[in-house]
């Protein structure tokens, strides 16, 4: 596969990437579930990095309240479908990226079929039924699930994978570990999803390249009010069925 060496020069200069790593990115397939606050920076940076195929799963339309943090969209996009707008934005920035759209979102009926097509899944969703569905399906299929969540001035990132814990290991009950069932129920500083989404994108690239230490079995917490960080171990829950 030919790659644009000038375009990706700064990637290729990295010993951990090089031309072979850049070709690997070009051949990779990543599904981003949710094209909102987290999905915007994730998808933009994956496209910029040269990930060959990016799937976008989102059934929502742009609302004026989204513009404070969802950097894929503009005022003239209000009322339009996010998945279609996201595809336009990504391909306008990198014509070599293929974008696959799933405007119906991820449901119990289609999750396994859709997720099976991709190498890495990014959980950029905003509700815990979807988060549990993604984690359960990824564990069943052996796909890494790059998880990010935000609340007010803080955020968290981890990777659920077949050689580590799943979301149910972290929180066996169907609820948000932060105590919020849905991100729409609380406020968030607009830059926080940008920060967490960039970290998710970094985890995806590390997984695709097979470099560094992905956050498997670890969760990184960041509080922007104090710039305090905490990296905690997330063990496999002894009663969880993820490794049964």
């Amino acid at each position: 596969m030919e790659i644009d060496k000038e375009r990706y020069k700064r990637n290729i200069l990295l010993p951990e990437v090089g031309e072979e790593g850049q070709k690997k990115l070009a051949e990779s397939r990543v599904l981003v579930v949710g094209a909102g606050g987290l999905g915007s920076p994730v998808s933009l940076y994956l496209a910029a990095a040269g990930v060959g195929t990016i799937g976008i799963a989102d059934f929502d339309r742009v609302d004026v309240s989204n513009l404070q943090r969802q950097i894929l969209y503009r005022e003239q996009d209000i009322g339009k479908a996010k998945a279609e707008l996201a595809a336009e934005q990504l391909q306008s920035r990198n014509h070599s990226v293929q974008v696959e759209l799933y405007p119906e979102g991820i449901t119990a009926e289609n999750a396994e079929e859709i997720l099976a097509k991709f190498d890495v899944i990014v959980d950029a969703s905003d509700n815990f039924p979807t988060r549990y569905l993604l984690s359960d399906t990824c564990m069943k299929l052996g796909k890494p699930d790059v998880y990010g969540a935000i609340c007010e001035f803080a955020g968290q990132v981890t990777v659920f994978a077949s050689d580590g814990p799943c979301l149910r290991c972290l929180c066996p009950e169907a609820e948000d570990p932060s105590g919020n069932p849905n991100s729409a129920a609380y406020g968030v500083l607009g830059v926080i999803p940008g920060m967490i989404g960039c970290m998710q994108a970094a985890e995806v690239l590390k997984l695709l390249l097979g470099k560094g230490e992905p956050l498997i079995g670890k969760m990184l917490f960041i509080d922007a009010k104090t710039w305090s960080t905490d990296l905690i171990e997330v063990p496999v829950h002894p009663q969880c069925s993820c490794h049964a």
Side-chain angles (χ1 to χ4, degrees):
M1 173 182 288
E2 291 295 322
I3 57 173
D4 187 336
K5 297 179 183 179
E6 184 61 28
R7 180 175 192 134
Y8 302 115
K9 179 179 179 179
R10 294 302 184 98
N11 276 359
I12 294 170
L13 284 171
L14 292 168
E16 296 87 349
V17 182
E19 290 187 28
E20 288 306 309
Q22 194 62 48
K23 290 178 181 178
K24 187 179 294 186
L25 294 181
E27 294 168 353
S28 297
R29 296 173 55 84
V30 178
L31 175 65
V32 180
V33 181
L38 294 172
S40 290
V42 170
S43 58
L44 286 169
Y45 272 104
L46 294 182
V51 172
T53 302
I54 300 174
I56 302 290
D58 197 305
F59 60 83
D60 203 6
R61 293 180 175 272
V62 178
D63 182 80
V64 66
S65 65
N66 300 151
L67 303 181
Q68 168 251 14
R69 66 201 176 281
Q70 299 184 17
I71 57 174
L72 277 171
Y73 312 115
R74 306 159 298 174
E75 289 182 353
Q76 57 264 44
D77 295 329
I78 293 171
K80 297 179 182 178
K82 289 183 179 180
E84 295 177 5
L85 290 168
E88 293 174 7
Q89 290 283 0
L90 299 185
Q91 292 184 316
S92 71
R93 287 168 166 78
N94 191 341
H95 70 278
S96 67
V97 171
Q98 302 298 311
V99 183
E100 297 182 1
L101 299 184
Y102 300 94
E104 70 277 20
I106 300 300
T107 66
E109 290 72 30
N110 65 23
E112 190 167 338
E113 178 183 0
I114 293 174
L115 270 59
K117 301 175 183 178
F118 294 89
D119 303 311
V120 177
I121 312 304
V122 179
D123 182 351
S125 63
D126 65 357
N127 65 88
F128 268 75
T130 299
R131 292 186 181 279
Y132 279 97
L133 175 61
L134 293 177
S135 178
D136 293 345
T137 307
C138 283
M139 295 301 285
K140 180 177 181 180
L141 297 174
K143 307 283 185 179
D145 173 12
V146 180
Y147 170 101
I150 53 175
C151 179
E152 298 180 350
F153 285 78
Q156 54 193 249
V157 183
T158 189
V159 177
F160 300 122
S162 57
D163 55 344
C166 70
L167 178 58
R168 294 186 188 277
C169 293
L170 175 67
C171 185
E173 301 300 323
E175 61 184 19
D176 183 342
S178 68
N180 296 291
N182 190 305
S183 68
Y186 54 86
V188 61
L189 192 68
V191 298
I192 302 301
M195 295 165 48
I196 299 301
C198 286
M199 292 178 184
Q200 287 181 277
E203 288 298 298
V204 171
L205 296 175
K206 286 160 58 180
L207 289 164
L208 295 176
L209 293 167
K211 302 295 182 180
E213 299 181 11
L215 291 169
I216 298 173
K218 299 177 182 179
M219 177 170 278
L220 176 63
F221 292 89
I222 294 182
D223 185 343
K225 285 193 290 188
T226 59
W227 291 122
S228 61
T229 62
D230 195 10
L231 185 63
I232 68 166
E233 298 288 333
V234 182
V236 174
H237 195 284
Q239 296 180 341
C240 185
S241 62
C242 62
H243 293 296

